[in-house]
Amino acid sequence: MRRKIVAANWKMNGSLELVQKLVPAVRDGVAALDNGLEVVIMPPSIYLGQVRELLSGSSIAVGVQNVAQWQSGAYTGEIAAGMAADAGCQYALVGHSERRQLFDETDELVAGKVARILESGLQAMVCVGETLEERESGDAETVVCRQLEGALKGLSAGDASKVIVAYEPVWAIGTGKTATAEDAQAMHEAIRRKLVELGLPGNAMSVLYGGSVKPDNAAALFAKPDIDGGLIGGASLKAEDFIAICQAGIS
Ligand code: PEP
């Protein structure tokens, strides 16, 4: 079933001080919305315990920004999906363009991580998106479809309800440039078509948009029929902005 979701990706930002200020503010702001929107906070992993504690009794879920493609073992510095589940996470982000670009993550690697995430009982938030060069050369849809095919290889239709796709054009992440609501909608439609072609229930899966979503553009994006919410980076670090985006998610 398609669900409306707004997820916060803090990336490697924040401090314990920020956790203690931001999480209660978001928790109280979201509680006041009293709607069916699912809100997820994905802080740096080291703060998961504190974030969970501050969210106790709240409907806000927590997620991890990355997991290893292995279950356990001699992988110094890595975090297994099962450990994220133990820490109370419900979601794991995977395939973010920063991971693809800075840590050379391939679609094959992303597929391995998706498998570990699902084995651990978490839901996978799988990011796909084209670079500016790929968009300008007319290859955006081909690239996004190839990423979907690679990352979701082997996914059963039954497991699809535990997978959320986040379309994040790379050129819109952290740049202040957002895809127009029309362009984003067109890609979301293409994503659903591709999911169906892969034998997955594409019209029943949640597909989020990410890339410089702010309070002033969220409503137009979320009003589009194939956009089920957003993955929010920079604006998720300001309680007021993030709550305003969550509000836009319900209108
Ligand atoms: C992100 O990091 O997933 C993201 C969408 O960042 P921003 O909102 O800052 O563009």
Side-chain angles (χ1 to χ4, degrees), residues 9 11 96 98 168 172-175 210-214 231-235:
N9 173 19
K11 313 192 191 203
H96 192 282
E98 287 152 16
E168 297 207 304
I173 298 180
T175 58
S212 296
V213 177
K214 307 283 179 217
L231 178 55
I232 319 299

Side-chain angles (χ1 to χ4, degrees), residues 16-208:
L16 186 55
E17 197 186 342
L18 183 94
V19 166
Q20 285 164 343
K21 277 192 192 142
L22 183 55
V23 176
V26 170
R27 179 194 63 206
D28 297 346
V30 167
L33 296 180
D34 189 26
N35 61 69
L37 182 75
E38 282 184 45
V39 178
V40 185
I41 296 181
M42 296 183 286
S45 305
I46 197 91
Y47 299 125
L48 279 168
Q50 281 103 343
V51 171
R52 277 266 300 155
E53 213 174 295
L54 290 164
L55 287 177
S56 107
S58 150
S59 64
I60 299 178
V62 291
V64 67
Q65 296 173 16
N66 178 42
V67 292
Q69 65 270 40
W70 306 285
Q71 269 173 339
S72 66
Y75 304 106
T76 301
E78 290 290 293
I79 293 174
M83 295 170 184
D86 284 346
C89 289
Q90 286 158 267
Y91 292 87
L93 192 62
V94 67
H96 192 282
S97 63
E98 287 152 16
R99 301 287 320 171
R100 292 177 187 264
Q101 289 186 330
L102 302 171
F103 301 94
D104 296 328
E105 293 200 356
T106 60
D107 291 328
E108 198 185 356
L109 191 79
V110 173
K113 292 184 178 201
V114 170
R116 299 294 86 70
I117 290 166
L118 298 182
E119 279 163 18
S120 304
L122 300 176
Q123 299 183 59
M125 215 172 265
V126 181
C127 303
V128 292
E130 81 286 356
T131 62
L132 185 58
E133 202 184 348
E134 289 161 342
R135 172 153 288 261
E136 285 175 345
S137 59
D139 294 330
E141 203 177 306
T142 310
V143 168
V144 167
C145 289
R146 192 182 60 223
Q147 289 174 337
L148 283 172
E149 190 157 358
L152 303 182
K153 207 177 185 136
L155 183 74
S156 69
D159 274 342
S161 61
K162 295 170 210 140
V163 171
I164 291 132
V165 174
Y167 168 56
E168 297 207 304
V170 180
W171 48 270
I173 298 180
T175 58
K177 291 182 196 154
T178 320
T180 63
E182 290 66 33
D183 285 347
Q185 163 61 24
M187 186 61 86
H188 280 231
E189 254 184 81
I191 287 171
R192 292 192 194 282
R193 270 198 309 274
K194 182 66 187 178
L195 292 169
V196 170
E197 193 191 305
L198 293 173
L200 301 170
N203 293 315
M205 292 168 71
S206 296
V207 184
L208 313 184

